[in-house]
Amino acid sequence: MTAAPVRAPARPPVRLAVLGAGGRGADAYGRWVRAHPDRARIVAVADPDANRLEALAGTTAARYDDWADLAAELGRLRPDAVIVALPDALHVAAATAVADAGLPMLLEKPAAPTLSALTDLAAVVRRTGARIAVGHVLRFAPFWRAVRTVVEAGALGDLATIEVRENIGFWHFAHSFVRGNWRSSAESSPMVLAKTCHDLDLIRWLAGSAPRTVASEGSLLHFRPENAPDGAPARCTDGCPAAADCPFYAPRYYLDALRDVTGHPVTMLGDDLSPAGRLAALRRGPYGRCVYHCDNDVADHQQTLLRFPSGLTATLTASAFTAENTRHLAITGTRGQLHGHMESGEIRVDLFSPSGRLPDAALGALPGVELVESGTDGPLGHATHTLVARPAPESGPGAGTDAGTSGRGGHAGGDAGLMDAFCRAVVDGTVGSGELSFATALDSHLMAFAAEWSRAGAGVVDFGRWSGAARGSPGVGPGQDGASQDGTGRRVR
């Protein structure tokens, strides 16, 4: 008689402490935990809002109204890992406390809201050997993993250009960057960091190295008091004469367009999501303010140019004034080109060489990636291939309740992909290495700060010299003389 195979004992769920039960801590990461009780469970939550705290902690997790109190008891609580999803300004202090406790962590992006804070955090990592995974979720979305697989296989040859367009969406920009939490550089961080550090991380990931130079232009063009319609009051609910014509009229968005949405972003209004409750929130809270009479200062459009040692150049365009809230991608290489649209998941690859091939085996191993069409195009009949990369539909409590997710999860499945990878790494003891390391995120954050410094008037930034100080090596940073030659006789900063 053949003996039955011996199965390895099931691993217990990863025990997580969550600092911050807002949009990211609860609606993104917390939702994944609720949908995967066999993989993870929450043992402690900290948040100053009693309703958010109760909703995420449930009946079993320990509750704290101050993250520092929870951090002080990590030794007693003994979680396997910590999720830091606090407001940006608290990230470094909280990450330092978790690092000193010796626990791995998932730190929501941006890791730090200022260059000096990032430098402090890098020093903490060097001092403690902290195991930090930063929330660059798009690396884990099926769309971007498919793009990376094509590039890494060499199907496009040597890369010449990368173009990423971050279409923020006029309604989303007004919500988050004019009325919302990321409207102020001082209170959160510059738009290029708060919104496009995802894109800079992807460019860095695809390029395979840090850039040589960074240059950026942009401004706060539109959401300014001088652009307010005549007679516009401080709040949309105070009888605005331009209500019928204004694209940013708050009741049209929160009461009409999102009337059936009970997740993000309407949860930012408060606990009462009835029509009356929403209207009351607009009358007294930040999301009912006229977009021309807010205390915002972050850029509403910005373009960044990066030059890499290989000769590759990359551009990142971010704009509030778009009809879509998604990303477009175009890559050209010496043997092919790639175009992609993140929302639809469609990726078209043109291969110039008659012997050009897609990495079929590697693509076939990626969940959610499918080859839907192949053909020929152009005067030489070069090969074309169309892929579709989409995440699996969400399941579990709260699935499909957010605006714009189509039931497929936040960030095109990246939120779920990161949580899956993080929990696996906690079990395997590999947080702090590979894609889940602080080092993978450091370059993209530094690229964002360099872009903002350039936009503020510094011109072309010599990235290697400029960023050295934050890496803990000799270098030049803001406030120092970063001028150097760029190889063409021009001076760069």
Side-chain angles (χ1 to χ4, degrees), residues 47 52 121-122 153 166 189 212 258 281 328 345 422 458 462 480:
D47 196 280
R52 293 199 311 236
L121 183 58
E166 165 67 284
S189 57
R212 183 178 180 186
L258 301 181
H328 292 95
F422 178 70
D462 182 327
Q480 305 175 53

Side-chain angles (χ1 to χ4, degrees), residues 3 15 42-43 90 101 104 177 183 213 238 303 346 353 454 474 479:
R15 293 163 44 87
I42 295 172
V43 298
L90 299 175
F177 298 95
R183 67 190 181 275
T213 61
D238 291 346
Q303 292 185 294
E346 185 171 303
S353 170
S454 173

Side-chain angles (χ1 to χ4, degrees), residues 154-160 331-338 349-353:
L156 305 181
D158 296 330
L159 299 190
I331 302 175
T332 66
T334 56
R335 298 178 69 85
Q337 70 176 18
L338 180 151
V349 182
D350 291 64
L351 301 177
F352 304 155
S353 170

Side-chain angles (χ1 to χ4, degrees), residues 334-380:
T334 56
R335 298 178 69 85
Q337 70 176 18
L338 180 151
H339 288 86
H341 184 277
M342 194 178 86
E343 178 66 20
S344 69
E346 185 171 303
I347 301 167
R348 170 166 163 152
V349 182
D350 291 64
L351 301 177
F352 304 155
S353 170
S355 61
R357 297 288 184 272
L358 285 178
D360 294 327
L363 288 170
L366 296 176
V369 179
E370 180 184 2
L371 176 64
V372 296
E373 185 179 7
S374 294
T376 60
D377 200 0
L380 296 178

